[in-house]
Amino acid sequence: MRCKTCPGKAVIETRRHNAAFCKDCYIVHVERQVVRTIDGDTMLTPDDRVLVAVSGGKDSLTLWEVLRRLGYRTTGFHIVLGIGHYSPEARRTVEAYASTHGLPLIVTDVKEDYDFSIPELAEYTRRVPCSACGLSKRYLMNRTAREAGFTVLATGHNLDDGAATLLGNLLHWQTEQLGRMAPALEATHPKLVKTVKPLIRLTERETLAYAMLRGIDYHDDECPNAVGATSLFYKDILNQLELASPGAKQSFYFGFLKKARPAFSAAHSESLELRECEVCGQVTTTETCAFCRMMDLARRTAAARNP
Ligand code: Q46
Ligand code: ZN
């Protein structure tokens, strides 16, 4: 099979674009998709100070690689979760990438800085690990970005992530979350930072191919808590749909953004009253934010168990 844009031999086929590319043209194709996403949603400007959330996996390192190559002012942000063998290896991968390219990196260790690893938080608060982890990550990403003076927080979510989250939110009619689903979310409070998802037009398979063809040394172990996660089940269903109907994920996700999201977002725009957490000062809709409530419960449970 020939490359769509040059006489070279194709190494990857993208059925939803009805195209195949050689290595060099594929790399150009992916980077153009990211530029199109950034420009289309005015995600970033050259003046922005961008904090890039990097787990060490293929998506986050692809994001950092593309933003770095496009000349944006980026700093990596890695959270050490304290999950078995997975976390030290993830940290090593991110630190190696930053040092190879001479990029600044901020590392926060939840156990060192907040006394509990993610597995401990899950145990002491009786949450599933991904719930404690997701809440901690969202909190730390916004807080770090704002306190360190970044103007934008960029995450490596791809189209598969976006479509799976959308499916989950629709199945449970999470109308507030549906209203907030967007690849670029402006800050709606002085203590919130704008968030962007520049890889949202690329599928998981496409970012994987890019990371491999660019020779990025990413961390390819799955977090042990991902096994059996509902999001993986949703991704599986969406992959089956995509197989039967190429482009299904794209039309599902982007169709929602265009045709339905505005209705959900309008319905919630007035009802949401933002305030500052009485403990940590971060933005919340309740007196004490969910992160501080989780930490308080963990501390009390730990004290009761180990008097
Ligand atoms: S890292 Fe954290 Fe994921 Fe592991 S505990 Fe769950 S949420 S699966 S992206
Ligand atoms: Zn708080």
Side-chain angles (χ1 to χ4, degrees):
M1 199 187 311
R2 294 274 145 225
C3 172
K4 180 191 170 190
T5 50
C6 84
K9 187 169 171 284
V11 295
I12 179 158
E13 190 185 1
T14 58
R15 281 182 69 206
R16 69 197 178 99
H17 294 120
N18 202 12
F21 298 96
C22 69
K23 177 185 168 188
D24 290 349
C25 293
Y26 180 71
I27 285 171
V28 170
H29 162 75
V30 165
E31 291 173 0
R32 275 199 192 133
Q33 294 271 325
V34 179
V35 169
R36 200 177 137 209
T37 309
I38 292 173
D39 293 350
D41 265 323
T42 336
M43 289 185 169
L44 304 172
T45 70
D47 294 332
D48 274 317
R49 286 193 63 218
V50 189
L51 188 67
V52 186
V54 274
S55 65
K58 63 183 187 327
D59 299 305
S60 60
L61 286 184
T62 287
L63 173 63
W64 208 1
E65 172 82 9
V66 177
L67 295 184
R68 173 182 81 77
R69 286 180 175 273
L70 294 175
Y72 287 105
R73 296 195 293 160
T74 61
T75 294
F77 177 51
H78 180 71
I79 305 173
V80 181
L81 305 167
I83 300 174
H85 297 302
Y86 168 78
S87 290
E89 192 50 30
R91 179 178 189 163
R92 187 207 61 75
T93 309
V94 171
E95 287 178 339
Y97 183 87
S99 107
T100 302
H101 299 288
L103 294 164
L105 174 69
I106 300 172
V107 176
T108 291
D109 185 323
V110 285
K111 171 84 177 170
E112 268 173 30
D113 298 349
Y114 293 89
D115 302 331
F116 300 102
S117 65
I118 295 300
E120 287 167 345
L121 269 179
E123 191 197 327
Y124 288 140
T125 61
R126 293 173 163 240
R127 282 174 177 256
V128 289
C130 291
S131 157
C133 185
L135 173 57
S136 305
K137 286 198 277 196
R138 283 191 299 278
Y139 178 87
L140 292 170
M141 286 192 293
N142 184 74
R143 183 169 188 169
T144 306
R146 202 192 63 83
E147 290 181 354
F150 291 90
T151 51
V152 186
L153 170 73
T155 61
H157 293 96
N158 57 40
L159 180 57
D160 293 58
D161 298 321
T165 305
L166 173 58
L167 182 57
N169 283 341
L170 282 173
L171 285 173
H172 299 101
W173 290 110
Q174 305 275 15
T175 53
E176 258 184 68
Q177 276 94 324
L178 286 165
R180 283 202 302 269
M181 285 199 70
L185 269 183
E186 293 294 335
T188 51
H189 185 281
K191 284 195 167 180
L192 289 177
V193 170
K194 175 179 178 177
T195 58
V196 298
K197 300 179 173 73
L199 302 188
I200 201 69
R201 282 181 191 280
L202 301 169
T203 64
E204 206 157 293
R205 177 178 169 268
E206 288 163 359
T207 55
L208 174 64
Y210 178 90
M212 289 173 76
L213 292 173
R214 271 278 185 219
I216 298 172
D217 182 16
Y218 60 88
H219 180 216
D220 63 355
D221 275 358
E222 277 277 23
C223 167
N225 296 314
V227 181
T230 327
S231 60
L232 290 187
F233 177 59
Y234 294 156
K235 282 183 181 178
D236 231 35
I237 292 170
L238 289 158
N239 279 334
Q240 289 180 40
L241 275 173
E242 183 75 23
L243 206 62
S245 167
K249 283 180 212 169
Q250 189 174 333
S251 69
F252 177 53
Y253 181 78
F254 287 100
F256 166 79
L257 289 186
K258 199 167 160 200
K259 297 183 179 173
R261 182 194 169 246
F264 290 107
S265 132
H268 286 286
S269 62
E270 280 152 25
S271 62
L272 214 66
E273 198 194 312
L274 297 178
R275 55 206 286 183
E276 293 181 15
C277 169
E278 60 181 12
V279 179
C280 70
Q282 298 304 297
V283 178
T284 175
T285 51
T286 48
E287 257 176 42
T288 308
C289 77
F291 182 78
C292 286
R293 278 184 275 132
M294 175 174 74
M295 297 313 285
D296 179 54
L297 177 58
R299 272 183 221 111
R300 284 188 287 115
T301 315
R305 283 197 202 171
N306 318 299

